[in-house]
Amino acid sequence: MAINSKTELPEDRLNFEALKSHHKSKAIASISKQQNPFDLLRILYEGAVSGAAAGVVVEAALYPIDTIKTRLQAVRGGGQIILKGLYSGLAGNLVGVLPASAIFIGVYEPAKRKLLDSFPENLSALAHLTAGAIGGAASSIVRVPAEVVKQRMQTGQFSSAPDAVRLIVAKEGFRGLYAGYGSFLLRDLPFDAIQFCLYEQLRMGYKLAAKRDLKDSENAMIGAFAGAITGAITTPLDVIKTRLMVQGSAKQYEGILHCVKTIAREEGASTLFKGIGPRVLWIGIGGSIFFGVLERTKKLVAAKQPID
C-alpha cells in the first residue's frame, strides 16, 4: 500500500512527542533559573537568623577585648587605661547587635546570590565585595547608635544604656546617636567588603582544593584569617571612628580630616594604629567564632525548611 506523505508513522509520532517533551523541559528549566521571590525571602530569613546568632555569640564572648581596644584608642597622649568594668554596656549593646547582625547577613546573602548570578564567574570577588558593602550600609542604621552607646559606656561616660540614650539625646539631640556616622561608614564599608570577600574567596579556593564541603573548624580557621587581616588594615579608620564617637558635646574634632590632622600633629601618626593588638586579636577570634557559628546556623535553619 502506498503511504501518503501526510500519513504519520509511529516512529514520527514518538520523535515528535520526544521533541515536545525536550522543549517543555528546557522551558521549565529556564523558568526555574529565574529568581523566585519566595527563594529570596527564604535566603533573607536564613541569613537574618544565622547573622543574629553569630553576632550575639561573638559580642558576648569577646566584649572585654573590645572594651580594652576602645579605651586604648580613646585615651589621649600617654594616659593610662582602666581595666575595671570590662563588661560595661554589654547588655545594652546586645540589644543593638542582634538586629544589626540580622539585617547585615539578611541583606548580604540575597545580594550576594543576585550579584553572583549577574556577574561573570571571574568577577565573583567583586560580587562579594559589593554585597559586603551593601550589607554594611543597610545595618549601619542600627549599628551606629548601638556603637555610640557602647563606646560611651566603655569609656565610663554612662552607667547604663537607657541613661546613655536619654542623656545623649538631651545634650546632643537625636543626631548625637549618629555621632561619627561618616567615619563609621568609612571604616565599616571597606571592612565588611574586604572581610567577606576574603572569607568567601578563600572558602571557594579551599573547597576546590579539598573537593568537598568544609568542616566547621575549617570555616572558623578561614574566618579568623580574614578577620585578622582586615582588622589590621582598617585600624586607623577604627581609631578615627572611636575618637569621633566618644567626644560627645565637647567637639574636639570637627570631622574626619580634622581628626586625622589633630591626632597626627598632637600625638604622632603612630597613634592611628593604637589598639591594633587587641583589635586584631578580637576580630581574628571573633571572625573564627562568627563564621563558624554562621555556617553551622545556616545549615541548621536550612535543614528545618520544607523541601519543595
Side-chain angles (χ1 to χ4, degrees):
M1 185 179 77
I3 299 173
N4 190 301
S5 61
K6 291 184 180 178
T7 304
E8 284 186 336
L9 293 172
E11 301 89 54
D12 293 335
R13 166 67 66 180
L14 287 171
N15 289 337
F16 178 68
E17 291 298 331
L19 191 62
K20 271 175 64 180
S21 175
H22 173 70
H23 285 304
K24 188 176 178 183
S25 298
K26 279 184 74 176
I28 291 169
S30 175
I31 291 167
S32 67
K33 279 184 179 179
Q34 294 176 7
Q35 193 69 57
N36 188 327
F38 290 105
D39 285 343
L40 281 175
L41 287 172
R42 177 181 54 78
I43 294 164
L44 192 152
Y45 167 73
E46 289 175 7
V49 173
S50 306
V56 167
V57 170
V58 170
E59 198 69 22
L62 302 177
Y63 197 77
I65 301 173
D66 183 34
T67 301
I68 292 169
K69 183 269 305 178
T70 298
R71 290 176 183 176
L72 278 168
Q73 291 177 344
V75 70
R76 303 188 69 182
Q80 298 296 310
I81 66 162
I82 300 168
L83 294 177
K84 291 181 180 179
L86 295 181
Y87 278 96
S88 179
L90 173 61
N93 190 50
L94 290 180
V95 173
V97 165
L98 195 148
S101 299
I103 291 169
F104 181 93
I105 301 296
V107 170
Y108 171 78
E109 286 292 336
K112 177 183 77 173
R113 301 283 181 93
K114 194 74 177 171
L115 289 166
L116 286 172
D117 287 342
S118 304
F119 287 8
E121 194 175 335
N122 62 340
L123 292 179
S124 64
L126 181 59
H128 293 134
L129 274 169
T130 308
I134 292 170
S139 64
S140 68
I141 298 166
V142 177
R143 285 165 79 185
V144 173
E147 188 85 353
V148 169
V149 171
K150 178 190 78 172
Q151 294 201 324
R152 301 269 181 106
M153 291 185 68
Q154 286 176 329
T155 52
Q157 296 181 40
F158 304 106
S159 58
S160 71
D163 282 348
V165 173
R166 183 172 53 81
L167 291 169
I168 288 169
V169 172
K171 289 182 180 179
E172 304 167 50
F174 186 74
R175 290 180 62 185
L177 291 172
Y178 286 88
Y181 187 72
S183 62
F184 180 90
L185 293 181
L186 181 67
R187 180 202 71 171
D188 270 48
L189 294 192
F191 177 88
D192 293 332
I194 294 168
Q195 184 185 30
F196 275 78
C197 179
L198 266 177
Y199 172 74
E200 297 279 14
Q201 292 295 308
L202 287 169
R203 194 165 175 267
M204 283 166 59
Y206 198 107
K207 280 179 78 173
L208 275 173
K211 296 179 181 177
R212 58 171 172 79
D213 286 334
L214 273 59
K215 299 174 184 175
D216 291 343
S217 59
E218 292 167 328
N219 286 322
M221 177 185 69
I222 293 169
F225 181 78
I229 295 295
T230 313
I233 293 169
T234 57
T235 296
L237 301 176
D238 190 46
V239 171
I240 295 162
K241 186 239 15 156
T242 298
R243 292 292 181 94
L244 289 170
M245 281 189 168
V246 302
Q247 69 176 336
S249 56
K251 295 294 179 188
Q252 298 163 303
Y253 310 109
E254 295 169 7
I256 295 169
L257 287 177
H258 182 254
C259 181
V260 173
K261 289 177 183 176
T262 304
I263 289 171
R265 184 178 66 251
E266 295 180 1
E267 304 171 62
S270 62
T271 301
L272 291 170
F273 285 90
K274 249 187 174 182
I276 189 171
R279 178 169 167 79
V280 169
L281 178 66
W282 167 53
I283 297 177
I285 298 172
S288 87
I289 297 171
F290 182 87
F291 287 109
V293 172
L294 179 71
E295 298 298 342
R296 170 50 54 184
T297 309
K298 277 163 68 175
K299 287 178 185 175
L300 292 173
V301 174
K304 290 184 179 180
Q305 295 297 311
I307 299 171
D308 296 331

